[in-house]
Amino acid sequence: MSETASACRSECIANATLASQFSGPPMLINSQNLDLIFKGFKAVYSDATINAPVNYDKVAMVVPSASRDETYGWIGEFPQMREWIGPRQIKSLSAHDFTIKNLTFESTVEVPRNAISDDRIGIFKPMFAEMGQMARRHPDELVFGLLKSGFDTLCYDGQSFFDTDHPVLDKSGTTTVTISNMQAGTGEPWFLLDTSRAVRPIIWQEREPYEFQGITDATDERVFMLDKYLYGVRARVNAGFGLWQLAFGSKAELTAGNYAAARAAMQGFRAARGPGSGRDAHGSGRAPDA
C-alpha cells in the first residue's frame, strides 16, 4: 500500500471514529440522570466557590439573621469599664433604631434539553464555575460598595457614615459635641478601619446563605413549554454600616501626613458615652473594586 493511501485510510478511520461519538443514541432523560447532572453542576459551582478569594470578612462582622430584617438598637452604645462606686450605671441599648433589611439576590441560567440529550454537558461547566466565583465574591461587592458610598449614605446617628459632624456626648455625658471621621478632597477615596474588635465598621447580615438550585422536573410548566432546564443560585443577605467610630474615610491624597492625621483622629474618637474607639486603629488602603 502506498504512503498516500495509508494516510488516507488513517484519516478516514479517524473521521469515522469522531462521527460515531456524535451519532450515538441520545442520552436517556430521566430523573436519575438529571439528578446526576445537577450534582455535577453543583460540584463545579462548589469547587469554584471554595477557591475564590474574598476580603469582606476582614472588615465586616458576620451576623446571622432570624427574620426579614434586624434592628441594631445597641449600635453606638459602648459602655466602658469603671470603678464600681455606688449603684451600677446602666446604659440603655435602645438609644438608636437602626435596621438592616435582608434583600433577595439571584443568578439564573437555562440549559436546553437537547444539549443534555446530546451529551454536551461539558460546555456548561465554565459557566457554573463562574457562577460559583460570582456568588462567593458577592459579599465583597456589597460590603466594599457600601464602604465607597459612605460619604453619602446615612448610618445609625442620621449622619453620613463618613461625615464632619457626628453628634456624641462628651466625657461628662451631658454635653453634645461633634466629631469628624473624614477628610475632604477630590481624589479616589481611601479608608482607615479598626478591625481589631468584636464589633466591626461594617455589618454583613445573612438570612439565607447562597444556595445552588435547579428546576428539571418534566412536569414544570417552563420545562414543558420551552424545553429548557433552569439552574441558579439564591441568597437573602445584606450589608449595612456598623460603628462609624471604627472607620475613617478620606478623599484627600494618600500621603504620610494625611494618613497620620486620620490615625490621630481615630485614636481620639469616643463612642457616645463610651471609650475611645480608635485606640487600636490599624490598616489603610483603597477599597477593592467591587
Side-chain angles (χ1 to χ4, degrees), residues 151-181:
F151 298 94
D152 305 302
T153 304
L154 302 182
C155 64
Y156 72 87
D157 65 359
Q159 303 292 118
S160 294
F161 186 70
F162 298 115
D163 210 339
T164 58
D165 55 353
H166 288 285
V168 298
L169 295 177
D170 63 6
K171 290 183 179 181
S172 68
T174 59
T175 303
T176 299
V177 297
T178 59
I179 293 179
S180 171
N181 71 331

Side-chain angles (χ1 to χ4, degrees), residues 53-67:
V54 294
N55 295 292
Y56 77 95
D57 53 353
K58 297 179 177 64
V59 301
M61 61 178 180
V62 179
V63 178
S65 175
S67 184

Side-chain angles (χ1 to χ4, degrees), residues 179-182 248 259-270 278:
I179 293 179
S180 171
N181 71 331
M182 65 165 287
F248 193 96
Y259 171 78
R263 189 176 180 87
M266 287 193 70
Q267 289 172 338
F269 287 169
R270 300 189 69 82

Side-chain angles (χ1 to χ4, degrees), residues 15 17 50 59 74-76 84 110 122 137 149 154 158 165 171 173 175 187 198 203 209:
N15 289 337
T17 302
I50 293 172
V59 301
W74 52 267
I75 287 288
W84 193 340
E110 60 183 17
R137 291 171 177 162
S149 72
L154 302 182
D165 55 353
K171 290 183 179 181
T175 303
I203 297 170

Side-chain angles (χ1 to χ4, degrees), residues 53-61 140 144 193-196 200-201 282:
V54 294
N55 295 292
Y56 77 95
D57 53 353
K58 297 179 177 64
V59 301
M61 61 178 180
D140 274 12
F144 292 108
L193 307 174
D194 182 351
T195 60
S196 65
R200 297 283 183 86
H282 66 280

Side-chain angles (χ1 to χ4, degrees), residues 26-48:
M27 175 184 290
L28 180 62
I29 303 296
N30 56 28
S31 58
Q32 181 179 4
N33 283 341
L34 289 174
D35 184 57
L36 290 174
I37 291 170
F38 173 82
K39 291 179 179 178
F41 286 157
K42 185 176 182 179
V44 173
Y45 165 90
S46 299
D47 287 345

